[in-house]
Amino acid sequence: MKVALIVLDAFSSRTVGPDTTPMLWSLAHEGGWNPEGGIGELTGATYPNHATFVTGLSTIEHGVITNRVRVDGRWVSSAVTGPVGVDDTQPVSTLFDACHAAGLRSVAAVGDHNLIGVCAAQRSDACWPPTPSIPVGTRRNIGGYIADDEVVGAASRLDVASADFVFVQLDSVDGARHHFGADSAEALAQARLTDASLASLLELLRPCWDDSVVMVVSDHDQEDIGPNAPIDLTAHLHDLTEDGQEVEVENQGTAALVVGEVRQSRLLAIPGIEGVRSLDRRHHVVWGQPGQSFGAEASKLAADHGSPRTTGQLALVAGGHPAVRPLSNLVCSARPAATAWARWVAELLGVDLPAPTLTPA
């Protein structure tokens, strides 16, 4: 059996249709999909959800809650750390590690080069880019990351047809939505192009289609940034601190992570805060009204993600293997959580992933 997990970054389920995305539409009806999509992790951002896709763990368990991770008293890119667990020091096992332990071949090709580190894809049998950097001469999308067709070309060179586990991320829709708006004409045009790139990618798997299970997901949705000034939580730290406890803030688009033993009532008392979700006693995700951004400066993006409104994910299963039908039934019957995909991959391939260890607060 071959299992492919394909991530179309920032791709919304509401974009899927016979005219805009004929490849996705065909796959959805060949296999199965949930029109309401899946449910992503908070924060609704790229690196937290990708870390979940390869570990099957929640953000609080694998340690990547925002695009950055706090290590040794400072915030660093999760591209440097990868999934490091609740203590920010111990690497967390991924699907790539599990495949290696079972003697199975895994490959990865991504448009956002940072995902090589975030997902620990360097521990696969072959990955592209080979390091968390963009190779010289590689064509880029409007977001500055690798163009979709370049990723498909790399997947061909990695010989995905011979791999047991294939992980691919196409990034270009994310950049178009960030720059032009979540549901802009430009973003829709890029969705059509990404759908065509997906078709080219799947052609690489056609020789082994009858033995394949293909999962197509997205990591998050986006929302347009509104006219309100951003909320700067650092200006409210004195209102959050109790008994000398240290409190830190990490902004993530239309949400923010507050680290410290803070009562939810104190967070909700801050002007502009609409909701709070505590991941555990020390980690709290906050958000405001639709389109409310966080940070000391106004966002330069037309759309962003982070809040629960942006945790919607594409959720689709196809392929020719008999396992596709029961898996499709699961996806269609209830919105799948982001944590489910790695568990399903592991079950299909007969490999082991670390069991969840934490219960959300």
Side-chain angles (χ1 to χ4, degrees), residues 198-218:
L198 174 65
S200 298
L201 176 63
L202 294 180
E203 279 302 309
L204 302 177
L205 298 176
R206 290 298 175 187
C208 48
W209 193 252
D210 290 345
D211 197 38
S212 296
V213 177
V214 177
M215 306 173 185
V216 185
V217 301
S218 59

Side-chain angles (χ1 to χ4, degrees), residues 224-230 290-293 298:
D224 288 341
I225 297 297
N228 292 341
Q292 177 66 63
S293 61

Side-chain angles (χ1 to χ4, degrees), residues 44 69 75 85 113 115 120 123 161 179-180 185 211 284 289-290 303 307 310:
V69 174
W75 292 91
H113 56 289
L115 289 171
R123 302 205 292 261
H179 281 73
F180 298 111
D211 197 38
H284 318 275
Q289 295 289 331
S307 78
T310 67

Side-chain angles (χ1 to χ4, degrees), residues 243-276:
D243 301 325
Q245 295 285 333
E246 182 182 0
V247 178
E248 293 186 75
V249 172
E250 175 68 6
N251 299 308
Q252 185 60 76
T254 59
L257 175 68
V258 178
V259 182
E261 295 193 13
V262 179
R263 285 180 291 172
Q264 288 193 359
S265 59
R266 288 190 176 231
L267 291 166
L268 290 169
I270 296 174
I273 297 297
E274 179 186 70
V276 181

Side-chain angles (χ1 to χ4, degrees), residues 7-15 38-50 53 67 112 115 169-171 173-175 177-178 182 217-223 252 254 303-314 335 338:
V7 186
L8 308 182
D9 207 293
F11 214 103
S12 174
S13 292
R14 63 182 177 271
T15 304
I39 304 172
E41 288 284 300
L42 279 177
T43 57
T46 296
Y47 300 162
N49 280 280
H50 276 80
F53 286 150
N67 283 345
D112 181 343
L115 289 171
Q169 182 253 5
L170 301 181
D171 185 80
V173 166
D174 184 62
R177 299 185 80 188
H178 274 311
V217 301
S218 59
D219 50 349
H220 57 73
D221 205 334
Q222 288 196 23
E223 58 184 331
Q252 185 60 76
T254 59
D304 213 337
H305 44 75
S307 78
R309 292 179 296 270
T310 67
T311 57
Q313 297 181 333
L314 185 64
R335 296 181 68 190

Side-chain angles (χ1 to χ4, degrees), residues 297-361:
E297 299 179 357
S299 174
K300 297 179 180 179
L301 301 176
D304 213 337
H305 44 75
S307 78
R309 292 179 296 270
T310 67
T311 57
Q313 297 181 333
L314 185 64
L316 185 154
V317 179
H321 193 279
V324 169
R325 181 50 52 198
L327 187 56
S328 295
N329 291 338
L330 286 175
V331 170
C332 294
S333 62
R335 296 181 68 190
T339 53
W341 299 100
R343 300 290 163 186
W344 287 335
V345 172
E347 182 178 349
L348 290 169
L349 293 176
V351 300
D352 296 322
L353 282 176
T357 57
L358 299 178
T359 301

